[in-house]
Amino acid sequence: PVLVEALENKDLGLKMQAALTLAQRQLETDKLTPLFFEGLKHETPSVRVQAVQGLGMLRNAQESVAPKLAEALRDPDASVRQQVIQALQNAPGPADKMVPILAKVYKDGDPSARQAVFQVSWRYGAGAKDLAIDGLKDKETGVRQQALWSLQNMRIDLAEFAPLLGDLLKDADGNIRVTASHVLRNMGPKAIKAMPAIKASLKDENVTVRQNALIMVVTVGGEGTDFLIKQFQSEKDANARAGFLPSLAHSGHQKLVVPLLSMAMKDSAP
């Protein structure tokens, strides 16, 4: 009774603390939900953070809570957005309601809001595919990177993304090219539609991108042992040559390591 009475207190700090305590106990949720919704509009970031924390605790009200949380990804304060991302781990909401809201937040949001969208959108799997496609084409590097990480976590068939991932192998940002090459490599034969871009990335300035490209060209692209040996011999970076053999072995293609071993033993680099 004391906590419920405190919800009417004029002291905002006391009121929010009582509300959070009740939320932890899953009590009086019908009274807490509108209070926290109102807190999302408060001018003080710390109050908005508390409101998000409280909403994230209301497990039995996910359907009404999650959409409001998603909209809060637009919040100008980074601490609020981060709290929203954490809250949505506990109250993800149904994909059919959440994805349209996330799409609107993405369309209307600044780069920070768009990045935040992809920190949660992966949870909705195939329902968020179109959103992922938009993110991979975003003009902001940070958003494209976050969309790539999101794509990795979606646990769906990525075959249809192969051409777009191939485009990202030409990205101006080296980290994005590396991530895209890892995703394509993990796709195995399903990366075949990106093969022209993969072959072009054999000349990438980044060692990891070149290594992943060579593995894919040989294991998926149909190039044989002669091509593998030629590429290995033409690699000027000693660290790249040294790292390629274990990388190839760990990828499950130990047989391809054998023809390179004798050359590696005679390598001029220590």
Side-chain angles (χ1 to χ4, degrees), residues 42-223:
H42 200 275
E43 62 182 12
T44 306
S46 60
V47 174
R48 300 200 299 276
V49 166
Q50 287 181 311
V52 171
Q53 289 173 332
L55 289 170
M57 296 176 190
L58 303 180
R59 295 187 297 273
N60 296 329
Q62 278 193 27
E63 285 216 21
S64 61
V65 164
K68 287 287 187 181
L69 286 172
E71 290 173 1
L73 288 171
R74 292 191 183 96
D75 197 285
D77 188 88
S79 63
V80 177
R81 292 196 301 272
Q82 191 57 45
Q83 194 64 52
V84 170
I85 291 166
Q86 293 178 17
L88 284 172
Q89 306 304 314
N90 298 323
D96 61 337
K97 289 186 177 181
M98 295 296 290
V99 173
I101 295 172
L102 291 173
K104 192 171 189 314
V105 172
Y106 173 80
K107 181 180 178 181
D108 300 338
D110 62 13
S112 295
R114 299 203 301 276
Q115 284 189 57
V117 164
F118 292 109
Q119 289 181 269
V120 298
S121 62
W122 61 270
R123 297 180 65 91
Y124 305 104
K129 284 197 301 184
D130 290 343
L131 188 55
I133 290 171
D134 289 342
L136 294 174
K137 297 177 180 178
D138 198 280
K139 63 182 179 180
E140 294 290 336
T141 300
V143 180
R144 294 197 303 279
Q145 183 70 73
Q146 194 65 58
L148 258 177
W149 288 330
S150 176
L151 188 68
Q152 285 182 291
N153 291 325
M154 286 175 72
R155 297 181 182 178
I156 60 173
D157 186 346
L158 298 181
E160 67 181 279
F161 285 88
L164 185 51
L165 289 167
D167 290 341
L168 290 176
L169 289 177
K170 308 166 192 173
D171 199 280
D173 186 84
N175 290 327
I176 287 180
R177 297 199 306 278
V178 168
T179 305
S181 72
H182 280 313
V183 176
L184 284 164
R185 176 176 160 180
N186 291 336
M187 287 169 60
K190 292 183 178 181
I192 190 66
K193 290 185 178 179
M195 195 50 62
I198 293 170
K199 288 183 177 180
S201 69
L202 287 168
K203 299 179 181 180
D204 195 277
E205 64 183 25
N206 185 282
V207 170
T208 301
V209 175
R210 294 200 303 273
Q211 287 180 346
N212 284 337
L214 184 53
I215 290 173
M216 287 186 284
V217 167
V218 174
T219 60
V220 177
E223 296 289 353

